[in-house]
Amino acid sequence: MNGICNEEKEFLEEEEDKLRDECGVAGIYLNPKTEKKDEAEKKYTAYSASDFNAATKVYFALWSLQHRGQDSAGIAVSNGETISIHKAMGTVAEAFTKENLTELKGHIACGHVRYATAGSTSLENAQPMLQNTKLGGIAVAHNGQLVNYEQLREMLEDGGSTFASSSDTEVIVKLIAKSYKKGLERALTDTIQMIKGSFALVVATEKCLIGARDPNGIRPLFLGKVDNGWILASESCAIDAVNGTFVRDIHPGEIVIINEDGVLSFEFGERTSKKTCVFEYVYFARPDSVIDGIPVTLAREKMGACLARESGVPADVVIGVPDSGLGAAQGYAKEAGIPYASGIVKNKYIGRTFIAPTQRERENMVFVKLNAVRSVVNGKRVVVIDDSIVRGTTSRRLVQILRRAGAKEVHFRISSPPVKFPCYFGINTPTRGELISSSHNEEEICKEIGADSLAFISAKGMLEACRECNPDQFGFCEGCFTGEYPISVPGEINGRRTEGAE
C-alpha cells in the first residue's frame, strides 16, 4: 500500500472487507450412446459426440456459481478425441461470447470461475488448466488450496517440469500427467494421496469426467443427473440451473469416474471425519443451495434465531446486510418478535473493478454500493445483522449510513464468531494482523465501528444451528475462528501468510 493516501487505502480495504471463496467448479458428461429419433427415416440413431454441446450446460452452471469468483472463467470440452479450451478474465458473461460456445463442441466439459488473491489475477492462473500428454489430454478445475504446494512444485521442477502459472492447480495437473501411463484410476489415486489441503476437483479427459473431494470434505462437490448424462458442481444450485436432478454429495475421500457406462465410485484413502467449511453456510454458498444435507437458508435463519437468544436487545426493527445477512436477520426477527424489514439496499451493478478516480469519490464509494431505506430506520432502534466482520471498515461505514438515515440506535449482530485466524484451505483471508478480531475484543470493535452495541454468535450456537438442519452432519472446519485446523498448516512468516495457491 506504499505510495497511496490513507483514504485510498481505506477504499481498497473496503473492497476486500469480506472473506472470499476462491472458486467454483462444474462438469458435464453427456452420454454419446444416447439415441435420437430421425424423423425423416422414422428410426432412432446414435448421437455422435459432435451433436452435443456440454460446454453450454457448463456455461449456465457457472452463471449460477458466479458468486464464488468473478476474476476469470473458463471451460474445457472434449469431443471424444481432443480437448479444446477457452478461458478469459472477468465474469462468465465477460469471458464468453456466443461464438466461443459454438466452437466448444463436445460431450464432456469442465468449467471454473475464479476469485484470486491480490496480485494473482492473470490469465496464466485462470482455469481449467490443460495438460497434453502422449496418452491424451487432462483438464483440471480446482476449488480449494494445497498446503504442500511449494514442496510438490519443487519436486516436479527437480524432475524437469516447467510451470506457466503460480497456481497450485498446475501442480495437480502435472502430477496426474506424470502418472498417466499407469492408467487413469492409478494416476488419480497417486496424485490425490500426495496433495494435502482442501480440494474439490472436476477433471475432464477425452473419454470421461472425474470428480474428487478431499478426505476432510472441506470444499463441497455434488453429483446430479441431467438428460442423457451427469453433472458435477460446487453447489446444488448449479444442478438446478441446468434443469438437473440432485443425486448426492460426493463423499470426503471419494473419486467418481463418469463415462458411457455410468458412474464408478471408489475411495482413495482411509475415511476421515467430515470437516465441511462452516463459512459455506454462513456466507459463501447461495441461499438456494443445500450442502451436505443442510439447506443454506434454513441454517442462516437458525443462526439468526440463536443470535436473538444469545444477545437480544430491545429494538424497533431488524434489517440484514445484503445478501448473506438476510436469512439470519429474518431468523433473528422471528425469534425476537421484532419486525423485519428490508432496510439496506445494495447496488448490484457495481463490480469490484469499478474505479473511483478522485479522493472524494473514493471516500463516498460505499454510499454508491449500499444505502439505507430512511422510511424503515428513521427514528428507530435498529438491529443490523451481518455475516462477519473482517477488517471492520464495511461495518463502520454501514453504521454511518444508518445514522445518516436517521437511525436512533444501531446494534450490530454477527452470525459468525470473531474471525481471528487466516484460512489455508481456499478462502482469501487477510493476514492475522489485519483481522480486527485477532487484536481487539468485542467492546473495542464496537467502539471502532461506532455501533451502540455489538455481539457475535457463539461457536457452539453456530454449529448447533447447522446440526439442527442435519443431525448427521457433525464435523465442520472452524480454523478461522479457533486456529485449530483439520490438517497441519503452514505458519505465518513476518506477519504474512504463507500460501499454497498464489
Side-chain angles (χ1 to χ4, degrees):
M1 294 292 185
N2 292 338
I4 64 175
C5 64
N6 289 335
E7 289 82 3
E8 184 171 357
K9 179 175 184 291
E10 188 173 73
F11 165 66
L12 293 173
E13 288 180 350
E14 179 75 45
E15 287 293 283
E16 299 175 358
D17 196 27
K18 283 288 183 185
L19 302 181
R20 296 187 186 274
D21 193 37
E22 289 190 2
C23 47
V25 297
I28 289 284
Y29 182 92
L30 302 177
N31 196 335
K33 284 186 173 180
T34 306
E35 292 187 332
K36 61 181 177 180
K37 188 175 182 180
D38 188 328
E39 293 293 344
E41 299 291 331
K42 301 298 181 181
K43 64 179 181 179
Y44 287 89
T45 59
Y47 280 100
S48 66
S50 61
D51 289 320
F52 293 108
N53 194 347
T56 299
K57 286 188 178 294
V58 169
Y59 172 79
F60 289 122
L62 293 181
W63 265 95
S64 70
L65 298 173
Q66 189 71 87
H67 58 288
R68 299 183 77 91
Q70 302 89 43
D71 283 347
S72 65
I75 296 174
V77 63
S78 167
N79 62 8
E81 297 178 356
T82 60
I83 297 177
S84 56
I85 191 168
H86 175 81
K87 51 187 178 179
M89 304 308 297
T91 63
V92 176
E94 293 166 336
F96 289 92
T97 64
K98 182 179 179 180
E99 290 72 26
N100 297 145
L101 291 173
T102 301
E103 292 169 359
L104 291 171
K105 287 290 187 181
H107 67 293
I108 305 170
C110 69
H112 190 273
V113 288
R114 180 172 184 266
Y115 172 79
T117 54
S120 301
T121 305
S122 65
L123 188 58
E124 291 78 12
N125 286 330
Q127 299 184 41
M129 291 196 170
L130 176 63
Q131 178 79 37
N132 289 307
T133 74
K134 292 180 180 179
L135 299 176
I138 306 161
V140 176
H142 169 215
N143 175 24
Q145 187 167 328
L146 305 186
V147 297
N148 63 338
Y149 157 76
E150 293 180 357
Q151 299 95 309
L152 292 174
R153 177 165 175 150
E154 184 177 350
M155 178 196 74
L156 288 165
E157 287 176 332
D158 289 344
S161 296
T162 58
F163 288 81
S165 75
S166 61
S167 169
D168 56 354
T169 306
E170 192 174 5
V171 164
I172 298 172
V173 176
K174 291 187 180 298
L175 285 171
I176 297 174
K178 185 178 180 182
S179 301
Y180 208 9
K181 60 186 177 182
K182 300 177 183 179
L184 178 60
E185 186 173 321
R186 178 66 183 275
L188 288 168
T189 304
D190 286 353
T191 296
I192 289 173
Q193 288 179 337
M194 292 182 71
I195 60 181
K196 305 296 180 186
S198 68
F199 53 87
L201 299 176
V202 174
V203 181
T205 70
E206 280 89 351
K207 303 298 183 183
C208 64
L209 181 71
I210 302 113
R213 192 176 179 189
D214 69 75
N216 295 109
I218 297 172
R219 296 283 139 229
L221 189 63
F222 302 93
L223 174 68
K225 189 76 177 67
V226 296
D227 288 342
N228 65 307
W230 302 88
I231 178 173
L232 295 167
S234 289
E235 291 187 33
S236 61
C237 65
I239 299 174
D240 298 331
V242 297
N243 197 27
T245 303
F246 171 82
V247 175
R248 63 176 178 86
D249 302 85
I250 301 301
H251 304 306
E254 181 186 14
I255 296 174
V256 294
I257 299 178
I258 305 172
N259 56 30
E260 61 185 17
D261 296 320
V263 179
L264 169 69
S265 168
F266 62 94
E267 295 183 0
F268 56 80
E270 294 183 6
R271 186 180 292 274
T272 59
S273 61
K274 187 182 289 185
K275 295 290 183 182
T276 308
C277 173
V278 74
F279 252 104
E280 292 287 351
Y281 307 104
V282 173
Y283 173 57
F284 294 137
R286 255 179 43 167
D288 52 333
S289 286
V290 178
I291 295 177
D292 288 327
I294 298 176
V296 172
T297 288
L298 182 60
R300 290 175 183 169
E301 289 174 355
K302 289 185 177 295
M303 290 175 197
C306 179
L307 264 175
R309 292 191 295 271
E310 291 183 345
S311 56
V313 62
D316 303 306
V317 67
V318 177
I319 63 175
V321 179
D323 292 313
S324 52
L326 302 182
Q330 291 168 14
Y332 185 106
K334 183 176 180 180
E335 182 71 18
I338 300 172
Y340 166 83
S342 297
I344 297 175
V345 176
K346 180 180 180 181
N347 188 332
K348 297 180 182 295
Y349 299 97
I350 296 180
R352 290 181 297 104
T353 56
F354 185 90
I355 297 173
T358 70
Q359 177 179 322
R360 179 172 292 277
E361 287 168 336
R362 284 192 293 269
E363 290 172 347
N364 293 333
M365 186 64 198
V366 71
F367 302 123
V368 179
K369 292 176 65 177
L370 296 169
N371 196 23
V373 181
R374 179 175 291 273
S375 61
V376 170
V377 304
N378 187 33
K380 295 179 181 177
R381 301 167 296 174
V382 179
V383 175
V384 56
I385 311 291
D386 204 355
D387 54 78
S388 61
I389 293 182
V390 182
R391 290 183 174 91
T393 51
T394 296
S395 303
R396 182 169 63 253
R397 296 296 179 93
L398 280 171
V399 172
Q400 293 172 1
I401 288 170
L402 290 166
R403 293 203 188 282
R404 186 184 69 174
K408 185 166 63 175
E409 297 176 9
V410 179
H411 302 277
F412 242 82
R413 294 296 180 266
I414 310 299
S415 59
S416 65
V419 178
K420 297 182 178 182
F421 302 90
C423 174
Y424 300 92
F425 303 121
I427 301 174
N428 179 31
T429 53
T431 61
R432 187 174 179 183
E434 296 173 295
L435 294 166
I436 191 170
S437 293
S438 69
S439 57
H440 296 75
N441 61 31
E442 204 170 275
E443 184 178 345
E444 291 169 336
I445 298 171
C446 182
K447 184 177 180 181
E448 179 73 18
I449 68 174
D452 291 282
S453 74
L454 168 69
F456 296 84
I457 194 173
S458 67
K460 180 181 178 182
M462 176 186 64
L463 298 182
E464 285 183 350
C466 291
R467 291 183 183 124
E468 282 182 34
C469 303
N470 179 11
D472 294 331
Q473 168 65 321
F474 291 103
F476 300 91
C477 179
E478 310 166 57
C480 52
F481 308 126
T482 65
E484 298 177 4
Y485 303 94
I487 58 177
S488 59
V489 298
E492 290 185 354
I493 301 174
N494 297 326
R496 298 299 298 177
R497 181 163 59 109
T498 47
E499 300 191 56
E502 297 94 48

